Amino acid sequence: MKTLNRFVTLLVFSAFIGINVCHGQEVVNIQHIGYHDDRIDYFIPFDQPDVYYNDVAQTIIIDGDGAVDYYDVEICPASTYVPVITTQVNGYYDTIDISSLPQGLYCITIYSPEDNTFEGFFEIE
């Protein structure tokens, strides 16, 4: 009986983890926008943050690891490129509430005080 209980507990736990993986954070692929010289190697600026879209919490997570003090952020529908959210976030770690945005494809543009611009896309389904 104990073995069956352990198996059921393990099964429920595994299902819970699987649901969270499927419906949790997803990486937003951010690219450095701006001047690129003709170098063959790919240069990632020191202040490029990691960006995630969490569809459960309906937030954008910006993880800058403190490379800069802040980032200015704009979020626009990809169809119009008219900003619907404009904010400044902490350079270490911050979140942006996007629960008020309707379904669609969005562009996120992040401006660093070091004159670097980063852009990526995420979709609200």
Side-chain angles (χ1 to χ4, degrees):
M1 187 67 170
K2 284 185 178 183
T3 305
L4 181 60
N5 286 342
R6 288 182 184 169
F7 177 76
V8 170
T9 302
L10 180 62
L11 185 63
V12 170
F13 180 74
S14 298
F16 177 72
I17 295 298
I19 290 170
N20 282 338
V21 168
C22 292
H23 297 299
Q25 287 183 173
E26 92 182 38
V27 174
V28 177
N29 185 14
I30 295 293
Q31 299 294 318
H32 180 234
I33 305 298
Y35 175 75
H36 297 280
D37 57 16
D38 292 333
R39 294 182 307 183
I40 294 175
D41 60 330
Y42 183 76
F43 171 70
I44 298 175
F46 77 97
D47 57 343
Q48 180 170 329
D50 293 326
V51 181
Y52 307 93
Y53 164 53
N54 187 315
D55 65 343
V56 175
Q58 295 184 322
T59 57
I60 295 292
I61 300 164
I62 299 179
D63 186 356
D65 288 334
V68 293
D69 292 332
Y70 66 91
Y71 294 101
D72 291 319
V73 181
E74 289 183 350
I75 297 176
C76 309
S79 59
T80 64
Y81 283 93
V82 175
V84 291
I85 295 177
T86 302
T87 189
Q88 190 174 82
V89 298
N90 187 303
Y92 285 91
Y93 183 91
D94 215 337
T95 61
I96 301 170
D97 179 14
I98 58 168
S99 62
S100 63
L101 298 179
Q103 291 182 344
L105 183 64
Y106 289 86
C107 175
I108 181 169
T109 307
I110 301 170
Y111 302 96
S112 165
E114 296 292 325
D115 291 328
N116 287 313
T117 301
F118 309 98
E119 186 176 84
F121 293 88
F122 64 95
E123 186 169 6
I124 299 174
E125 297 179 341

